[in-house]
Amino acid sequence: MGPDDHDVVTEPSENAPLVPAEALLAPPRAKVRASVARLQGHWFVVATSNELRDRPITRTLLGVPLVLFRDGEGKPGALLDRCPHRNVPLSIGEVVEGQLQCSYHGWRFDRGGTCKFVPSLVGDATAKARNAPSYAAREQDGFVWVYGAPNETPKTEPYRFPELGAGYTTVRRRVESESTMHAALENALDVPHTQYLHRGLFRSKPRGIQIEARVTRTHDRVVAEYVGEPRPTGLVARILSPSGGEVTHFDRFILPSIAEVEYRIGTENHFLVSAAMTPVTDFLTHIYAVVSFRVRLFPGWLLKPFLMPLGLKVFAQDAALLKLQTENIKRFGGEQYASTEIDVLGRHIWRLMRKAERGDVSTSENVHEETVKLLV
């Protein structure tokens, strides 16, 4: 065997560029990082009223650590959770004489973030550099709302949960979604996935019935009205309306983070979910849901013990799926979506969120209308 018959082994050149192993072994990269819109100039729920009592609590909004407390008038305050003196978390302090007192040196702050008292200091304690950044806070409908931009006076008010009046049973819940806020909103207002992810609970397999979604988008919301939909065949729908009937069904997104799902079956069966979503971080969303219902055949107190576990199971299925979606987005380094027209509201929600992120508050945008056909 001559020298040319031997396998030739080439040693790496000292000058050849080294390629990290993870670059060779990673999955194909996605097109974009994630559908994240940071909506600072808007109101979000950060706690329920009964969570905010005598002691300060900590919350995170848009990735920012906040401390919440009640002042001497019982009104909520929200400050950056960092003492301007020596960077200690204000949330480990206490409320003294209606002001938030830092646990390190005893500096005190009112709900507007103004430093009002410095122990041992001779003279006035107030000085701009000593103030803590503050966030406007409101208590409304049993929730504590915080405005996402510091040291600003809001020109808007928080969303008001609908008051449906006598005859309705109302339940409140907070659930978590390990996802972007956009993904959580689209999931809450998406019809096609209910036939698979929630099969048997809310809908069953497709029956081949064609319905229409009439979509209307304005400057601050998008609404889909589903026309021609028979009562879903899932367990929840059968409890609400045992005799069947055609459904009046609306799905609504309202800036910055409200999802409403409304069903009427006949004139006496009415079901409304209003969910205020809070972007804790890019990939963690808290959902504060108010569920109200009225059913002809049963009193609400009788149905509540049966419906609420079913509703929570639906939420749990969504949360588990959204967590897997988020993990896969991170694994592939971003999102890569393929959509059809029956992904009815997702793109409209994203359009409005991006508009809000840019600070575009114009109300003159033309009304957009479209009709989508889909099978259920």
Side-chain angles (χ1 to χ4, degrees):
M1 180 166 50
D4 293 338
D5 296 324
H6 290 284
D7 291 335
V8 178
V9 178
T10 303
E11 295 292 335
S13 168
E14 291 184 1
N15 297 323
L18 296 177
V19 179
E22 60 269 20
L24 297 174
L25 301 176
R29 311 310 286 171
K31 292 181 179 179
V32 298
R33 183 172 181 269
S35 298
V36 174
R38 298 183 173 100
L39 308 182
Q40 287 190 317
H42 295 273
W43 292 97
F44 298 97
V45 177
V46 294
T48 61
S49 292
N50 59 15
E51 289 179 297
L52 187 57
R53 298 184 179 178
D54 297 332
R55 297 195 59 81
I57 61 175
T58 184
R59 290 292 186 270
T60 300
L61 175 64
L62 293 160
V64 179
L66 303 176
V67 56
L68 307 179
F69 68 101
R70 290 192 185 277
D71 70 0
E73 299 176 358
K75 295 182 178 180
L79 307 180
L80 189 71
D81 193 14
R82 181 182 65 197
C83 182
H85 181 216
R86 288 296 183 267
N87 293 275
V88 170
L90 288 170
S91 56
I92 65 172
E94 60 182 330
V95 178
V96 177
E97 297 180 5
Q99 298 165 358
L100 181 59
Q101 179 175 280
C102 179
S103 64
Y104 193 12
H105 291 91
W107 287 28
R108 293 184 197 167
F109 304 88
D110 65 13
R111 72 172 187 269
T114 301
C115 180
K116 305 296 285 186
F117 176 71
V118 176
S120 303
L121 179 70
V122 177
D124 189 2
T126 59
K128 187 175 181 180
R130 299 172 190 159
N131 294 344
S134 66
Y135 294 74
R138 299 277 191 280
E139 189 167 14
Q140 181 177 288
D141 300 329
F143 296 103
V144 178
W145 298 76
V146 168
Y147 193 72
N151 302 322
E152 287 193 13
T153 301
K155 296 182 175 63
T156 61
E157 291 296 321
Y159 167 84
R160 282 202 172 275
F161 286 90
E163 291 286 342
L164 299 180
Y168 284 86
T169 299
T170 299
V171 181
R172 295 167 176 241
R173 290 288 186 274
R174 195 204 82 175
V175 294
E176 290 189 356
S177 174
E178 294 185 47
S179 71
T180 67
M181 189 171 75
H182 174 260
L185 284 162
E186 183 181 35
N187 168 266
L189 300 174
D190 175 62
V191 170
H193 88 276
T194 61
Q195 301 178 33
Y196 294 92
L197 185 59
H198 309 311
R199 181 178 295 179
L201 283 175
F202 198 73
R203 283 186 172 86
S204 59
K205 62 183 180 180
R207 292 173 284 174
I209 299 170
Q210 181 173 289
I211 66 172
E212 285 186 353
R214 298 175 182 171
V215 181
T216 304
R217 188 187 70 235
T218 59
H219 70 280
D220 69 341
R221 67 192 61 203
V222 57
V223 179
E225 178 185 6
Y226 293 89
V227 179
E229 182 179 5
R231 186 209 66 185
T233 57
L235 180 58
V236 174
R238 292 201 302 272
I239 292 174
L240 291 176
S241 182
S243 59
E246 188 167 298
V247 173
T248 301
H249 173 192
F250 289 90
D251 286 344
R252 306 180 186 94
F253 165 70
I254 305 168
L255 277 173
S257 65
I258 305 300
E260 291 183 351
V261 177
E262 182 175 14
Y263 281 91
R264 291 183 185 271
I265 307 175
T267 59
E268 295 177 309
N269 301 304
H270 187 201
F271 180 84
L272 176 63
V273 179
S274 301
M277 306 207 177
T278 300
V280 180
T281 65
D282 286 346
F283 290 99
L284 178 61
T285 302
H286 285 177
I287 304 172
Y288 293 84
V290 177
V291 182
S292 299
F293 61 91
R294 181 187 66 191
V295 180
R296 177 175 61 89
L297 294 178
F298 304 101
W301 62 266
L302 182 61
L303 271 182
K304 183 177 175 180
F306 296 95
L307 283 180
M308 287 307 101
L310 295 176
L312 290 173
K313 186 170 183 179
V314 170
F315 273 123
Q317 290 174 337
D318 283 329
L321 193 285
L322 288 169
K323 180 180 180 181
L324 291 173
Q325 181 191 52
T326 295
E327 290 172 352
N328 223 28
I329 288 170
K330 292 179 178 180
R331 179 166 61 167
F332 282 90
E335 301 169 347
Q336 191 158 319
Y337 290 133
S339 299
T340 72
E341 61 270 22
I342 65 170
D343 297 298
V344 177
L345 293 182
R347 59 190 169 89
H348 298 290
I349 294 170
W350 181 239
R351 178 189 179 101
L352 291 174
M353 289 176 67
R354 289 298 304 274
K355 176 176 177 283
E357 185 180 42
R358 295 193 300 267
D360 184 351
V361 296
S362 63
T363 60
S364 59
E365 182 179 348
N366 292 332
V367 174
H368 172 85
E369 296 180 332
E370 63 184 58
T371 298
V372 177
K373 297 183 184 299
L374 62 162
L375 297 175
V376 296

